[in-house]
Amino acid sequence: MHASTSIDAARLRAKPPPMPARPRPFLAAILIGLVAEMLFLWGVATPHMLVFDEIHYVPAARALLAMQAPLNTEHPLLAKEFIAAGIALFGDNSFGWRFFSTIAGAATVMGVFAILWLLFGRIRPAAMGAAFALLNFTIYVEARIAMLDGFLAAFTVLAVAAMLWAMDAPPGRAWPRWMLSGALFGLAIAAKWLALPYLALASAAFLIVRWRDARAAKRPLAAIFSARDQPHWPGLPAIPALAAFGLVAAAAYFLTFVPAFFYRDDPMTLAKLLPFQAQMYAQQTQVLPHHTYQSDWWTWPLMIRPIWYLYEHADGAMRGVLMIGNPAVLWGGLVAVLGCLWSGWSERNGRLLAAGLLWVAAYLPWAIIPKSLGFFYYYYVPSIALPIALAAAWDRYAKGKLIYWDEGFLVMCFGLAVYFFPILSAAPLANEQAFQHWMWFSTWP
C-alpha cells in the first residue's frame, strides 16, 4: 500500500496542474443584452406620432414595404428595410416603426461588452463598459427612434468586435472571422454612408498592427504582407486579406439593394446601380440652409449644442426627447481617452492604446467629411467609444487608494441618468417651460 501511494504521488508531481479555465463571457453578454432590450422597449411606442427624422425614414420604409417607388434616395436601404420589417411584424404604428431600433441598441451595448472582453479578457471591465454605454443616454435615445444612426452604430461596433475576434484567432480560424468583420462593415455602410471611413480605418489599423509586429520581432518590412508567423490575424496574407475585406463589404452593401429591383415604379437595374451611388453622393454633399440646431464638429465632444428630437404636446401631455449625452460619460470619457493614450504609449500597452484610439478613429473623420451642416447626433458613434475608454482607464487606474472609484463613478452616471430620464423617455412634463429644469447652459436648447 505504501508503494502504491508513492507511485500515485509521483504521478501527481509529474502531471502539471490544470490551467484555470478562462471565464466564458456569453452568459454575461446575453444578460446585459436582455436588460438593455427591456429598458429600450419600455414605453418605446410613446409618443404615438412621427418624431424628428422619422418623418423621412418611416414613409420611405412604407414605400419599400409596398414596393411602390424609391423615397429618401440620399441614403442606402438597409436601415429602412429594418423599419419596414418592424411595420410588417407589428403594424404601421409607433411600436412597429421603432422595434428594430431597440434591437440595434441592445446589440450595440453587447458589442461594447464584446470589444472590451476581446481587448482585456476579463468580465469586469467588459461589464463596466457595457454599463457606461447603457447609461450614456445616446444609445438609449437612438434605440427608441426610427432613424438610420442606430443601425449604422450597431453594425460598426459589431464589425470592430469581429475584427478583434479575428485578431487573436487560433491558427486556421482567422479567415471566417475576418470575413465576418468585412460583411458587418458593409452592412454598416448600407445603413448610412458615414460608416465608410471606418472601413478604411480598419484596413489601415490592420497594416499598422502588422508593421508593429514586424518591428517588435526585428523582421523585414516585407513580413507585414506574409501570412506566416503572425501573432495577429494568423494565416492572413495582407494583400489578399485586405482585398477580400473590401470585396465582402461591397457585396454585403450591394445585396441590400435587392428589394429596389422590385419597385413598381422606377425599379433599380444593374445599369442604374452604380450611377445611383453618384446621385446619393451628390444629395449628401449639397449645401443646405441654416438650421436652428446645427453645430460644428469640434463642439460635439464638449456637448455645447444638444438637439431636441421632440418637444411638444403629444399623447395628452407635454413631452420631450433630448439627444444629449450623460455629462459624466461624455466629459469624463475625454479624460479617459487621454489616460488610455498616455498609458498605452508610455507603457507599450497596445490594448490600452487601442481603447483610446477607437474614439480618435470614430471622431476624426468628421473633420474632413464634406457636410454643409452638422448636428450633435452625428457624434453618436464616437460617443459609444467613450464608455470603452472609460472602462479601460478605470481598469488601469482604479487601484490602491482609487480601488472603488470606478464603482462610485458608475453610481454618479446612474444618478445623472435618473435625473435626465424624463426628457430622454418622452415622459409627461408639468408644462411648456418644464424643460428649463435640465438646461445647464445657455447653449442648451
Side-chain angles (χ1 to χ4, degrees):
M1 186 171 180
H2 177 72
S4 174
T5 303
S6 300
I7 291 170
D8 290 342
R11 286 176 178 170
L12 287 172
R13 284 194 300 271
K15 185 178 180 180
M19 293 293 290
R22 191 184 192 194
R24 299 181 71 82
F26 305 110
L27 180 59
I30 291 169
L31 288 175
I32 287 169
L34 288 174
V35 169
E37 180 61 19
M38 288 188 290
L39 176 63
F40 299 153
L41 276 176
W42 183 77
V44 71
T46 302
H48 296 79
M49 57 182 282
L50 295 175
V51 172
F52 195 56
D53 277 356
E54 287 182 339
I55 63 172
H56 303 298
Y57 307 131
V58 171
R62 290 168 177 158
L64 181 62
L65 188 61
M67 287 293 149
Q68 291 175 345
L71 288 180
N72 185 240
T73 54
E74 67 181 280
H75 294 296
L77 290 181
L78 182 61
K80 290 167 280 189
E81 290 168 350
F82 276 110
I83 298 170
I87 294 172
L89 286 173
F90 302 107
D92 192 353
N93 53 60
S94 54
F95 185 85
W97 309 333
R98 299 168 190 153
F99 173 76
F100 279 103
S101 291
T102 68
I103 299 293
T108 303
V109 174
M110 294 174 71
V112 168
F113 178 94
I115 288 171
L116 284 159
W117 164 260
L118 290 161
L119 283 175
F120 298 102
R122 287 178 290 112
I123 295 288
R124 194 177 196 281
M128 290 293 283
F132 291 140
L134 197 57
L135 296 173
N136 191 26
F137 304 178
T138 57
I139 295 178
Y140 177 82
V141 171
E142 286 294 334
R144 293 163 54 83
I145 188 169
M147 287 174 56
L148 312 184
D149 301 78
F151 301 101
L152 153 74
F155 284 114
T156 299
V157 170
L158 293 174
V160 172
M163 187 174 178
L164 292 173
W165 192 35
M167 186 176 181
D168 291 329
R173 296 189 183 179
W175 267 113
R177 300 179 186 184
W178 177 253
M179 302 295 270
L180 173 64
S181 178
L184 290 168
F185 272 118
L187 294 176
I189 298 166
K192 203 170 185 180
W193 271 15
L194 297 177
L196 190 57
Y198 303 140
L199 175 68
L201 288 168
S203 301
F206 174 89
L207 291 174
I208 291 169
V209 171
R210 280 286 178 89
W211 172 72
R212 291 184 72 240
D213 290 342
R215 285 194 61 191
K218 296 186 169 92
R219 300 174 68 190
L221 189 62
I224 294 173
F225 303 101
S226 173
R228 297 181 58 189
D229 302 323
Q230 296 289 355
H232 298 116
W233 299 289
L236 267 63
I239 293 176
L242 291 175
F245 197 57
L247 287 172
V248 168
Y253 172 80
F254 282 112
L255 280 172
T256 64
F257 283 87
V258 168
F261 285 76
F262 299 94
Y263 284 135
R264 184 178 64 247
D265 301 323
D266 192 21
M268 181 65 69
T269 65
L270 289 175
K272 290 163 59 174
L273 186 58
L274 290 180
F276 182 72
Q277 311 306 309
Q279 295 172 28
M280 291 169 59
Y281 179 80
Q283 291 183 75
Q284 293 195 33
T285 55
Q286 64 183 314
V287 177
L288 299 173
H290 180 273
H291 193 285
T292 304
Y293 289 138
Q294 74 180 67
S295 56
D296 294 321
W297 63 271
W298 57 267
T299 68
W300 302 336
L302 303 177
M303 206 159 58
I304 290 174
R305 187 66 169 160
I307 181 170
W308 285 108
Y309 281 177
L310 170 78
Y311 198 78
E312 60 183 278
H313 281 278
D315 294 355
M318 195 70 192
R319 301 178 188 272
V321 175
L322 183 64
M323 177 55 172
I324 192 172
N326 188 316
V329 177
L330 260 288
W331 297 332
L334 297 177
V335 178
V337 167
L338 293 175
C340 288
L341 295 176
W342 170 257
S343 294
W345 181 264
S346 61
E347 298 169 9
R348 300 294 186 266
N349 186 327
R351 298 181 185 269
L352 200 60
L353 188 64
L357 286 174
L358 281 173
W359 177 83
V360 176
Y363 176 57
L364 282 186
W366 286 107
I368 58 174
I369 287 176
K371 279 279 188 181
S372 60
L373 287 184
F375 300 94
F376 176 71
Y377 73 85
Y378 290 174
Y379 191 61
Y380 180 44
V381 175
S383 80
I384 297 167
L386 292 172
I388 295 171
L390 274 169
W394 280 121
D395 187 64
R396 165 63 181 81
Y397 292 106
K399 297 178 173 65
K401 293 181 180 179
L402 302 180
I403 190 168
Y404 296 117
W405 280 41
D406 57 342
E407 296 174 6
F409 185 83
L410 185 63
V411 170
M412 180 171 64
C413 293
F414 180 78
L416 286 167
V418 172
Y419 168 76
F420 279 98
F421 189 72
I423 57 169
L424 303 174
S425 61
L429 303 177
N431 53 58
E432 292 182 1
Q433 297 302 311
F435 73 96
Q436 294 185 10
H437 173 73
W438 294 276
M439 299 298 102
W440 290 4
F441 305 102
S442 61
T443 58
W444 287 16

